[in-house]
Amino acid sequence: MTSSHWPLFGLRVSTPRLRLRVPTLEDLDALAELAAEGVHDPDVQPFTVPWTDAPPAERARGTLQYHWSEWAAWRPSAWALNLVVDLDGVIVGTQGMTAKDFAIRREVSTGSWLGRRYQGQGIGTEMRAAVLDLAFDGLGAEYALSAAFADNEASFAVSRKLGYREDGIDRHVVRGRPVVSRRLRLDRAGWQARRTVPVTIEGLAACLPLFGL
């Protein structure tokens, strides 16, 4: 998919193993199938919006609708960049990055998920490192934020590897009960100190106006 009016389709962020891109319709279909298979242990719910509690067919359809809705809602002052993660030609998950008033605040938030069969292989760390390089080196961010529920050790392990520090808590209601999430913050100095994954960014220059830059 290419469009001179939507240059994000030409954006590529690559690591030694992974290629991240704005999804094609075929990519979205593969991602929807992955969501239908399951993203986590059904006995726990790691997301503040419990979209994975839906039946498999609804999870798949909701995955498509979410990406389409974010494309439609994009503004330079408030955007959500959702990239699919390609490992050897196979879509294994998605890595997102969002911001509001980025040109002023220089701050992004990240979120992601992997198909269950691809977890525990270091892919989560590598794909977050890729999008952090896009944020800090490509877009000139000063801070990156992340958050996870207090029992989500896998997410915190990735954050620790990449240099995040504690930044407070939030409280949510999930499945009818209160849940505490821990916020984490990574500044530019921390990112530079822990930057070990080689990342290549292509096609960014044409996209900068869409990020408000």
Side-chain angles (χ1 to χ4, degrees):
M1 294 173 68
T2 60
S3 170
S4 60
H5 303 293
W6 201 249
L8 289 168
F9 285 128
L11 180 63
R12 298 288 184 272
V13 186
S14 303
T15 70
R17 285 195 296 174
L18 309 175
R19 188 166 185 170
L20 284 68
R21 61 177 177 267
V22 172
T24 64
L25 294 180
E26 183 179 3
D27 291 335
L28 281 181
D29 207 42
L31 190 67
E33 292 291 337
L34 202 59
E37 291 176 13
V39 177
H40 57 79
D41 182 341
D43 291 335
V44 300
Q45 176 49 262
F47 302 113
T48 55
V49 177
W51 62 278
T52 49
D53 283 349
E58 289 184 26
R59 288 201 301 270
R61 185 168 58 250
T63 298
L64 298 175
Q65 291 176 302
Y66 169 74
H67 281 262
W68 294 336
S69 68
E70 294 293 356
W71 288 356
W74 188 293
R75 304 189 311 277
S77 61
W79 46 262
L81 178 68
N82 293 296
L83 307 172
V84 287
V85 181
D86 181 323
L87 172 66
D88 297 328
V90 177
I91 301 302
V92 299
T94 178
Q95 175 68 61
M97 180 170 69
T98 65
K100 291 184 179 180
D101 298 315
F102 178 77
I104 301 169
R105 298 172 65 198
R106 297 288 172 165
E107 183 174 277
V108 301
S109 296
T110 63
S112 64
W113 61 263
L114 277 169
R116 291 190 73 179
R117 52 195 156 120
Y118 302 108
Q119 296 171 12
Q121 302 173 38
I123 297 171
T125 300
E126 195 165 325
M127 66 198 220
R128 177 113 61 100
V131 81
L132 288 174
D133 206 276
L134 174 61
F136 285 109
D137 193 39
L139 299 177
E142 294 297 328
Y143 298 99
L145 309 180
S146 183
F149 292 145
D151 60 355
N152 192 342
E153 182 52 37
S155 178
F156 291 122
V158 170
S159 296
R160 283 195 296 269
K161 289 178 186 177
L162 296 171
Y164 288 77
R165 295 188 177 185
E166 296 282 347
D167 193 44
I169 66 167
D170 290 306
R171 301 182 78 238
H172 308 272
V173 176
V174 177
R175 291 179 172 174
R177 64 185 183 89
V179 181
V180 173
S181 69
R182 290 161 50 193
R183 298 194 310 269
L184 301 139
R185 179 178 292 268
L186 177 65
D187 61 19
R188 174 173 286 275
W191 166 72
Q192 290 174 333
R194 296 293 186 94
R195 187 184 186 189
T196 59
V197 177
V199 177
T200 302
I201 302 170
E202 302 172 80
L204 179 58
C207 302
L208 293 178
L210 291 175
F211 292 104
L213 303 174

